[in-house]
Every structure is written in structure tokens, then in C-alpha cells.
Amino acid sequence: MNAPVNVDHEALARSLPLDKLDVSDPALFRDDVWMPYFRRLRQEDPVHHTAESLFGPHWSITKYNDIMKAELAHKTLSSDSSYGGITIRDRPADLRLPMFIAMDPPQHDEQRKAVQPIVAPGNLAKLEGVIRERVCRILDGLPRGETFNWVDHVSIELTVQMLATLFDFPFEDRRKLSYWSDRATAFPMPGGIIETEEQREEVFAECLAYFTNLWNERVNAEPRPDLVSMLAHAEATRNMTPREFLGNLILLIVGGNDTTRNSISGGVLFLDQNPGEFAKLRANPGLIETMVPEIIRYQTPLSHMRRTAVADTEIGGKLIRKGEKVVMWYISGNRDEEAIEEPDHFIIDRKRPRQHLSFGFGIHRCVGNRLAEMQLKILWEEILARFPRIEVVGEPQRIYSSFVHGITDLPVRIPAN
Ligand code: HEM
């Protein structure tokens, strides 16, 4: 679509011919102007075909109920990586990483089971204490009365510390996890954090070498409740090829990293933009329970997931043909006025706050959802216990991506007293 800068996006979204409307343009997300384009599609063409885009032809599913239907149709809408992957951008065949999010049953179900114990209630309860201690240490170390980037000081640091705990990863090397994660999902472009797919492969090789050492340490030891040990001992994963090991590592690193990170940043931004909601929260900290899922809905840290039709199928009255690419836009379903009341408003005391699509739905629904919520809950409890407010003092900078919906810079100031 290549919208020029300084345009009236509301007007442009209304006036563009439908066949020129391409919601996959990463600039729409970087510039935070995606909303009117999706609104138009939900109203006029909810299952929309785009013939030409940066990512080739694809279908966009934009309404809440149609997305649920697509998620449940996993027999005809496949996640299998051999069809090109689970995001809108096709991965070159020789560079595809096998991982269970990009598999169909039965292999998907077996491998998913291998890591499921990490989020069993007993394990979550054990993790809670460690996470709280780390949250407190991070918050207590923040500067007062000075501007700093919340994303780097808190969002990245906290998620990386949690991931290091889940993998039982050497703590001093924990920033390697965000380094690998950022490069696994980046859009290759000149001047970007990766410029080519070859550079991405170099980063993957480094990640695999590091984790292979951890695997070798753990495979002959007693099983332990960390993700590497779980993968090394479970029936479905202990004979994985190195490429499959890498794929599942990247899944777990990216799954737990970008998403939680951007919910942490989003929460600070939304409360700053909605002082009335912040006042409600101050008056009643018990609202953290319902605010956390609202932050995750409102941010929608992954804008979409993609499937490929393996048979002709119908969604929303449109015929999707075998071989076509289908993009389920969670970011739009979460703003569907027919499913969610006042969806464009951030409301921390919604009656059904978990009614959102940010974690997906069906057999691939996020494994880490409760873990992510727990982390945000602890963070906000400890923020309220310390700081009267966190002021956003500059424009947030957003990621150029139509997959990871996130913030790279969020300048904030915590008042000195
Ligand atoms: C899958 C979102 C946190 C691990 C997914 C999916 C989404 C998602 C959209 C795909 C769902 C689908 O295709 O239907 C999120 C969000 C998070 C979050 C918004 C935080 C706010 C986490 C955490 C972990 C995690 C903390 C744990 C390390 C996974 C895994 C899958 C997954 C392993 C693959 C599940 C499967 O294919 O069966 N997540 N996630 N996620 N997520 Fe998360």
C-alpha cells in the first residue's frame, strides 16, 4: 500500500479501493496507524483477499468469530512449516525451522506435551517467588527523577530473567536470549539488526551451539524441571535432530520473550494515556487481576498467526482454495465491536477480560499464557507498592513488523518523590 507520511489515515482507509487495501504493510504498525484500515475491512470485507503485498497474495481474516473458526479448522488450515510457515512471511524452504507451533497433529500434540509441565500449577507456584524477587530487584534499581527507556531497563530485563529461569540458563549470559530472539523475528533489511537470511542463520548457529552444551550436560543427568532437561528427556523430543532442537528453542525463546516484553511496555503506556484508569487502579489495586488480560488484549503482542489451506474451505462466505495463505489478524479480532464492547478503549475492569485472541485459540493456544499473566500481575503489584506514577515523557518507537507488535523505546520518568 505504501502510504505516504503525514497522511490522514482515517480518510485514506475510507477512500482506498478495497483491492488496494493491504493491512500487512509493516509500516502501518511501526507508525501505529493500523486501526482504521482493519476497521474498514471488518465492516466491508471481513475475509479479504490481497493479491499483491510484500508477502505475496494472502487472505486476511479480521473478525473475532471468523478467527475462532479458522483456529478450529486445523485439519484444513495447516500450521505445517512445509507450506511456508506460521507467519505471513514465507520462510525459504532450506531455512525453515521445524518447531511444534509449525506442526500439525499428531507430532504437534506429542511435542507440546513435552514442555507442558513447565506451566503446571505446582511449577508456576514455585516460579512466583523467584519472579517476585527479580521484579523487586529490577524496580528498586531504577533511576528516580531521570528519563530512561522502560523497554530496556524493565521489559527486556525482566522477560530475559524469567526465560533464563525457565531454561536454567547461565544467568550472566541471559542477554544472549533477547539477542537471539530479536534476530529470529527481525525483518531482514539494509541497516536492520539483521540484513540477510544468512546473518540470521549465523545467529541461529551460535544459539544452537550454546544450547547443545546445556543439552549435553542434562541428557545424562536426572530429569529436572527446566525446559532443556524436559526436551532432552521426553519421549517425543529426546531424539530430535539438531535443527528441530534449534526450532523448538527459538519457539520457546521468542514465545516467552517478545510477547511478555511488549505487554510490560504496553501496560505502562496505556495507563499513562488513560489517567482515569490509572486512578481506578490506585483506588483499587485488586483490579490488577482484570487489568492484566486487558493489557494483553489491548497490546496484542503478536498481530497475527498464519495458516495454509490444505483443502478448499469456506470462511465468512469466501472460498479459500487449497494452497492459499490465510492470516488470522488477532489485532483486528481484538477490536471487533461485535465481540467486545468498546474495543478501542482500554478499560481495566471489564466483566470478561479474558475474552480476547492475543493467545490464539484451539490446539495451538499459547502454552505460556498463565505464566505471562503471572509475571505481569507481580510486576504491577510491585509497581503500585513503590511508585506513585510512571510518566511517559516521549514518543514511543515501534517495531517495523506486521508480526511482532511491539515497542522498542518508551522514555519514562519516575518522579523523585
Ligand atoms: C503459542 C501469544 C507468552 C510459549 C502462542 C500463540 C500466540 C501466543 C498468539 C499461537 C496461538 C495459535 O496459533 O493459536 C503469546 C502472548 C504472550 C505469550 C501474547 C504474552 C503476553 C508466552 C510465554 C511462553 C509462550 C511466556 C513460554 C515460554 C508459547 C508456545 C507456543 C505459543 C510454546 C506454541 C503452542 C503450540 O503450538 O501448541 N503464543 N504468548 N508464550 N506460546 Fe505464547
Side-chain angles (χ1 to χ4, degrees), residues 71 79 100-102 108 112 115 118-119 162-163 166 227 251-253 255-257 259-260 263 296 300-302 304-305 307 328 330 357-369 371-373 375-376:
E71 289 270 19
S79 294
F100 68 85
I101 197 171
H108 159 268
R112 178 178 165 119
V115 297
I118 198 80
V119 289
M162 179 198 67
L163 273 181
L166 298 183
L227 286 168
L251 165 61
L252 293 160
I253 296 172
N257 190 33
T259 50
T260 318
S263 307
I296 295 171
T300 316
L302 297 180
H304 75 267
M305 294 300 290
R307 303 288 186 259
M328 306 175 293
Y330 302 140
L357 293 167
S358 298
F359 291 123
F361 191 67
I363 61 167
H364 289 281
R365 185 174 154 80
C366 178
V367 170
N369 59 353
L371 182 61
E373 286 189 354
Q375 210 181 346
L376 287 169

Side-chain angles (χ1 to χ4, degrees), residues 350-385:
R350 287 185 180 273
K351 293 215 167 49
R352 298 175 61 204
R354 287 211 170 85
Q355 190 192 4
H356 66 70
L357 293 167
S358 298
F359 291 123
F361 191 67
I363 61 167
H364 289 281
R365 185 174 154 80
C366 178
V367 170
N369 59 353
R370 292 292 168 165
L371 182 61
E373 286 189 354
M374 183 175 90
Q375 210 181 346
L376 287 169
K377 178 173 171 282
I378 295 171
L379 175 69
W380 280 100
E381 284 168 359
E382 298 302 333
I383 287 177
L384 287 190

Side-chain angles (χ1 to χ4, degrees), residues 77-86 101-104 107 307-308:
L77 295 178
S78 168
S79 294
D80 195 299
S81 62
S82 63
Y83 301 114
I86 39 110
I101 197 171
M103 291 174 187
D104 292 329
Q107 213 189 354
R307 303 288 186 259
T308 309

Side-chain angles (χ1 to χ4, degrees), residues 7-23:
V7 291
D8 176 346
H9 287 279
E10 291 284 343
L12 186 62
R14 275 195 305 273
S15 62
L16 270 175
L18 266 181
D19 65 348
K20 292 279 172 291
L21 218 151
D22 168 18
V23 285

Side-chain angles (χ1 to χ4, degrees), residues 146-178:
E146 268 175 43
T147 299
F148 64 92
N149 181 5
W150 181 267
V151 176
D152 195 49
H153 279 67
V154 184
S155 312
I156 296 182
E157 189 52 35
L158 181 55
T159 36
V160 156
Q161 290 197 11
M162 179 198 67
L163 273 181
T165 313
L166 298 183
F167 284 109
D168 197 6
F169 190 89
F171 200 65
E172 63 286 2
D173 282 345
R174 63 190 182 279
R175 282 276 172 149
K176 284 185 188 293
L177 294 167
S178 54

